[in-house]
Amino acid sequence: MRNKDFELLAPAGNLEIFKGVIESGADAVYVGGSMFGARAYANNFTEEELLAAIDFAHLRGVKVYLTVNTLIKNSEFSKLYDYLLVYYKRGLDAVIVQDIGVVKAIHEYFPSMEIHTSTQMTVTGADGVRFLSQFGVTRVVMAREVSLAEMKRIHEETGMELEAFVHGALCYSYSGQCLFSSILGGRSGNRGRCAQPCRLPYTVEGKKDEYILSLKDMCGIKALDKLHDAGVYSLKIEGRMKQLEYACGVVKYYRSYIDSMKPVTDADYDRIKALGNRCGFTDRYYFDHNGSDMVTYVKPNFVSNAAEPSPEKRKLSIEGELVLREGEPGSLTVKRGDVTYKASIEPVSAALKAPLDKKAAIDRINKTGDTDFEFSHIKAQIGENVFVPNGALNKLRRDAISGLCDKLLKKYYRNDARYTDMSRLTALPEHVVKSDAAHDEAINDYTTICSCMTRAQLDTLIGYECFDVFYLDFDMYDRKTLIQQFADDVQSLTKRNKKVYLMLPTIFRADSSDYFVSIAKELDKVSFEGFVVKNYEELYLTENLFTGKKVILDHNMYTFNDVSKSAFFEHGVSGDTVPLELNSREIMHRNNIGSQMIVYGYYPLMTTANCVHKNTKGCDKKQKLIYLKDRYNKSFAVCNNCKECYNTIYNSLPTMLTKNISKLKEAGIRSFRYSFTIETPKQIKAVMDDKVAEYTNGHYKRGVE
């Protein structure tokens, strides 16, 4: 008897593995199609293969989820409806999505299909779940870093169906918050093309060839009871690029222990490890925020020392009743569960020579060949002197099985898709459009913004009259004195006719959220313009706790396409930041009403729960920079945000686009931001004097595939 408290969700990179993991015990399988999947280099399913897979799964009561979990460009969005329509009609159970615009469109296009948000959305709290539930989301895949205690709280507060990773490779970065592969080599993780620079060696604090960014593989099979107590429903195995033996073997062991809920034996744990691992296993994110025991430190080769036998291919049991009487149409009625189908042939004639042998007729009907079915029992009512050719019996069997198959699958088929015109999907609220039109009437109505992360930076930047708006980072302030310190800074800047926004952290987990809620009433009394938000938790909280404050999306709240932008603006957002991976042509062809562009700054390559400082020198809760040096001798600053407990790894060079401002103005952008993060006051002066010796254009020219 299967444990229905859990769904065991398995990966499949091809049709053979798809069938294998189902035979091994998967309740659901996730796959990638020919477009929009986060494993662009995998052997993804063709349309014909995926339709066959959906039917194969549904005949066995197994669900199929399709990954549509990349960020989608404007030039691609029109292909989404036609791409998904054929699968929707066939009964595809759910899509796994990262892009909020895709969520919005699918909810409109395909009303009876479930939407699961990808771990790429970096959902870490109940407020993020609350925001996404407004878009028809039916399941949220947790960020891998979220603990069991946090999952339990999220489930209890929202009632949302939760999915958690239980086995397979771990990203070092919070998924969706990684641009490392993208910026260094043009292969974007947000577009399914990650080159895994986290698996490479770096020199850290003088120690060469440290694999400090490489995590061990996840194995949560010893925590099944705790996952159950946390309210997790779907247990996700990673590995759409893994081989048949690995996928089926892992599914088999999880199936066994999910159903028995017995403690895992040491022998079975070793067998699971032998199927494949990177320097061993870890499950510490379930219990700890971070830790050195999660890191491989040595070259993280994937080691596989054992192969499980391929699962036995099992057919579906059906019952049959064969009726052959002289002068009456011959019939074969087949049944599976409560579904029956009756096939007929022309009236049966009398035998001219030897009559039809009953056993021979049953044997003929039993030859189900390469179909999905086999007969468990056949009743036969055959007249004493009848004859039916073998060809007719074969046709009767084929028609009966085909008809039953169609009838079993018909309940999954849909015909309620509704195409929505792109102009409706991309429309911005009327007040936003009117506000932009008013700007058009002004001459040289452009805004220059600076964001800063330290007191020293603010002290330097406040002396520059060119900045109209200041973004002050949450991390600049001590929690005990935040309200007063921030209010003082706001007063000081507003006296200079500057507008002020509070820039919230990249990651906003339960502790940060609780603190923010506790100060909301006092913070709302401070006369600042609004917030810059970097995640769904902050977006929900700022919109629901504050009145009259504006909300600006930072670059990692991806408005990769105009549908995404519309989705956010419909929920009260006042402005957005152009994503860092768009190139000049793509920027020119997006709706830039209310958008700002970062024209200077060290791009954040990774935001991580694990801490380079802690894992090399120990945790002293002191914020400082550590540098990673790669094999090309490039240095990457790592800043530890101790208050909210995450790291940010920055690019080795700043991006400088100030020479392109006139071109960006032609694209309709009116706000330009200087993003200061790790710069000293001296370095800030060099930027403002246009004396930066080395810099990069980021993705402005090349973009990403």
Side-chain angles (χ1 to χ4, degrees):
M1 181 70 71
R2 286 195 176 186
N3 184 341
K4 297 301 182 184
D5 289 342
F6 281 133
E7 171 191 86
L8 180 57
L9 176 57
N14 60 48
L15 193 54
E16 181 187 14
I17 296 175
F18 183 94
K19 293 180 178 180
V21 294
I22 290 176
E23 299 288 6
S24 300
D27 298 304
V29 187
Y30 66 101
V31 302
S34 60
M35 300 174 72
F36 308 130
R39 291 291 184 272
Y41 297 118
N43 294 321
N44 292 308
F45 284 63
T46 65
E47 181 179 297
E48 182 181 5
E49 288 172 335
L50 185 48
L51 291 174
I54 291 170
D55 288 349
F56 182 90
H58 284 167
L59 286 173
R60 291 157 177 80
V62 173
K63 293 183 176 182
V64 183
Y65 307 147
L66 179 63
T67 57
V68 191
N69 55 345
T70 59
L71 300 177
I72 297 181
K73 300 178 182 181
N74 273 333
S75 60
E76 301 165 331
F77 214 100
S78 60
K79 303 171 186 175
L80 180 67
Y81 179 80
D82 288 336
Y83 170 65
L84 290 177
L85 180 61
V86 65
Y87 306 131
Y88 180 75
K89 286 182 174 180
R90 197 65 156 248
L92 178 68
D93 295 281
V95 284
I96 304 170
V97 183
Q98 175 189 8
D99 191 312
I100 194 67
V102 177
V103 172
K104 175 184 175 180
I106 290 175
H107 188 49
E108 292 248 355
Y109 289 153
F110 309 117
S112 57
M113 183 162 61
E114 292 191 1
I115 301 173
H116 301 172
T117 60
S118 168
T119 190
Q120 295 280 125
M121 277 192 165
T122 323
V123 178
T124 62
D127 292 308
V129 171
R130 291 184 181 105
F131 180 83
L132 293 168
S133 66
Q134 299 172 106
F135 290 85
V137 167
T138 52
R139 178 187 296 182
V140 173
V141 184
M142 294 282 89
R144 292 178 176 91
E145 296 79 3
V146 175
S147 70
L148 292 175
E150 289 170 304
M151 292 184 207
K152 182 177 178 127
R153 175 174 171 177
I154 292 166
H155 179 67
E156 289 177 347
E157 289 188 9
T158 68
M160 177 64 75
E161 188 173 278
L162 301 184
E163 178 178 305
F165 279 85
V166 73
H167 196 94
L170 285 172
C171 295
Y172 189 79
S173 177
Y174 281 92
S175 299
Q177 308 301 318
C178 184
L179 299 177
F180 214 146
S181 173
S182 173
I183 297 298
L184 267 62
R187 288 175 54 174
S188 170
N190 284 317
R191 300 276 294 166
R193 294 167 169 82
C194 181
Q196 298 188 330
C198 54
R199 300 296 184 187
L200 297 175
Y202 296 87
T203 298
V204 191
E205 297 290 294
K207 296 180 181 179
K208 290 186 177 181
D209 293 339
E210 287 275 291
Y211 290 85
I212 192 66
L213 306 184
S214 174
L215 296 184
K216 298 174 183 177
D217 278 7
M218 173 76 181
C219 181
I221 199 166
K222 291 183 177 180
L224 294 177
D225 57 338
K226 296 178 178 64
L227 283 156
H228 180 271
D229 292 344
V232 174
Y233 171 66
S234 184
L235 304 179
K236 187 171 198 169
I237 297 168
E238 182 276 336
R240 282 198 292 122
M241 298 181 75
K242 296 293 197 301
Q243 300 303 309
L244 175 71
E245 294 79 9
Y246 172 89
C248 295
V250 171
V251 168
K252 183 188 78 171
Y253 283 107
Y254 274 88
R255 176 79 274 154
S256 173
Y257 282 101
I258 286 170
D259 290 344
S260 70
M261 292 303 285
K262 293 179 180 178
V264 180
T265 66
D266 291 340
D268 277 349
Y269 192 76
D270 288 341
R271 291 186 185 103
I272 297 167
K273 189 179 289 186
L275 288 170
N277 71 88
R278 284 182 182 85
C279 303
F281 284 147
T282 182
D283 65 358
R284 298 319 302 164
Y285 273 140
Y286 286 163
F287 309 102
D288 299 320
H289 193 92
N290 51 36
S292 61
D293 59 345
M294 300 183 194
V295 182
T296 69
Y297 290 105
V298 297
K299 192 171 183 178
N301 292 329
F302 184 80
V303 178
S304 180
N305 298 317
E308 292 289 317
S310 296
E312 180 184 350
K313 295 179 180 179
R314 292 168 291 182
K315 291 198 170 191
L316 303 173
S317 177
I318 56 176
E319 298 175 6
E321 182 175 5
L322 177 64
V323 179
L324 301 172
R325 297 192 185 97
E326 184 181 346
E328 298 177 9
S331 68
L332 175 61
T333 302
V334 289
K335 179 180 180 182
R336 177 166 172 79
D338 59 355
V339 179
T340 62
Y341 184 83
K342 182 178 180 180
S344 301
I345 56 174
E346 293 179 355
V348 177
S349 59
L352 298 177
K353 295 180 180 179
L356 181 65
D357 179 72
K358 181 177 181 180
K359 182 178 181 303
I362 292 174
D363 287 345
R364 177 64 56 181
I365 297 299
N366 257 321
K367 292 182 178 180
T368 55
D370 60 357
T371 69
D372 289 300
F373 303 95
E374 64 181 5
F375 286 100
S376 61
H377 175 68
I378 299 176
K379 293 194 296 185
Q381 299 179 39
I382 300 178
E384 292 183 358
N385 190 40
V386 299
F387 176 76
V388 179
N390 285 340
L393 289 175
N394 289 340
K395 182 178 186 304
L396 188 61
R397 181 192 64 241
R398 288 195 301 268
D399 290 349
I401 290 177
S402 177
L404 178 66
C405 184
D406 289 345
K407 198 169 180 180
L408 287 166
L409 293 172
K410 188 176 181 180
K411 65 180 180 181
Y412 293 97
Y413 297 165
R414 306 186 185 96
N415 198 31
D416 62 344
R418 53 193 187 201
Y419 181 74
T420 300
D421 187 83
M422 284 295 293
S423 62
R424 178 180 162 191
L425 288 176
T426 59
L428 294 178
E430 188 176 347
H431 72 275
V432 175
V433 178
K434 285 183 177 179
S435 175
D436 186 71
H439 279 292
D440 280 339
E441 297 173 3
I443 299 173
N444 296 324
D445 187 13
Y446 299 104
T447 302
T448 305
I449 304 163
C450 72
S451 59
C452 57
M453 293 184 65
T454 68
R455 306 296 309 175
Q457 289 173 348
L458 177 59
D459 290 343
T460 301
L461 290 165
I462 204 168
Y464 287 94
E465 287 298 320
C466 60
F467 294 118
D468 308 296
V469 180
F470 279 71
Y471 292 170
L472 306 183
D473 197 278
F474 199 74
D475 197 43
M476 288 171 57
Y477 305 102
D478 184 87
R479 284 191 176 187
K480 293 180 181 179
T481 56
L482 183 145
I483 299 295
Q484 188 57 55
Q485 286 182 317
F486 180 60
D488 290 345
D489 287 341
V490 170
Q491 185 178 29
S492 177
L493 287 164
T494 52
K495 281 182 179 178
R496 293 172 167 82
N497 296 316
K498 312 296 183 183
K499 294 180 179 178
V500 182
Y501 286 77
L502 182 61
M503 189 163 63
L504 298 179
T506 306
I507 302 298
F508 215 60
R509 289 170 67 167
D511 178 66
S512 304
S513 176
D514 290 344
Y515 167 69
F516 190 67
V517 171
S518 73
I519 65 168
K521 288 183 179 179
E522 288 300 309
L523 186 59
D524 198 26
K525 296 175 184 177
V526 181
S527 298
F528 63 105
E529 287 290 311
F531 299 93
V532 180
V533 302
K534 299 171 185 271
N535 52 65
Y536 292 98
E537 287 74 29
E538 294 166 355
L539 182 53
Y540 183 85
L541 283 172
T542 52
E543 290 184 353
N544 285 275
L545 292 178
F546 297 88
T547 56
K549 304 290 188 193
K550 295 179 180 178
V551 176
I552 307 294
L553 303 176
D554 208 351
H555 60 85
N556 64 326
M557 292 293 283
Y558 296 108
T559 52
F560 231 65
N561 54 73
D562 292 343
V563 184
S564 297
K565 181 165 181 169
S566 172
F568 283 123
F569 274 66
E570 285 172 356
H571 282 266
V573 165
S574 302
D576 68 304
T577 306
V578 175
L580 305 182
E581 294 181 289
L582 295 181
N583 63 28
S584 58
R585 180 179 53 80
E586 290 158 349
I587 294 168
M588 187 66 68
H589 291 93
R590 78 189 287 274
N591 185 338
N592 289 309
I593 292 175
S595 294
Q596 62 182 247
M597 181 85 182
I598 296 176
V599 293
Y600 168 81
Y602 282 89
Y603 282 179
L605 301 184
M606 277 187 172
T607 305
T608 77
N610 260 285
C611 179
V612 174
H613 181 82
K614 177 180 178 180
N615 291 342
T616 54
K617 304 184 77 172
C619 179
D620 56 13
K621 297 191 181 300
K622 293 180 180 179
Q623 187 166 317
K624 59 189 68 177
L625 296 181
I626 283 182
Y627 287 86
L628 305 178
K629 190 174 289 186
D630 71 4
R631 62 197 190 282
Y632 302 114
N633 220 31
K634 292 181 179 179
S635 291
F636 303 90
V638 186
C639 182
N640 54 323
N641 180 318
C642 294
K643 296 185 182 75
E644 316 309 320
C645 200
Y646 64 81
N647 274 201
T648 305
I649 302 175
Y650 291 98
N651 196 15
S652 58
L653 293 174
T655 296
M656 193 90 168
L657 299 174
T658 51
K659 292 181 174 63
N660 304 103
I661 286 178
S662 60
K663 189 72 174 176
L664 292 169
K665 288 178 178 179
E666 291 177 20
I669 295 175
R670 294 192 174 87
S671 297
F672 304 96
R673 175 174 151 198
Y674 290 72
S675 176
F676 295 104
T677 50
I678 58 175
E679 292 87 351
T680 63
K682 183 178 179 180
Q683 290 170 324
I684 290 175
K685 187 176 187 304
V687 173
M688 301 311 298
D689 292 342
D690 198 19
K691 293 181 179 179
V692 178
E694 283 190 278
Y695 60 87
T696 174
N697 289 311
H699 277 302
Y700 186 73
K701 291 184 178 179
R702 70 180 180 186
V704 292
E705 289 183 48

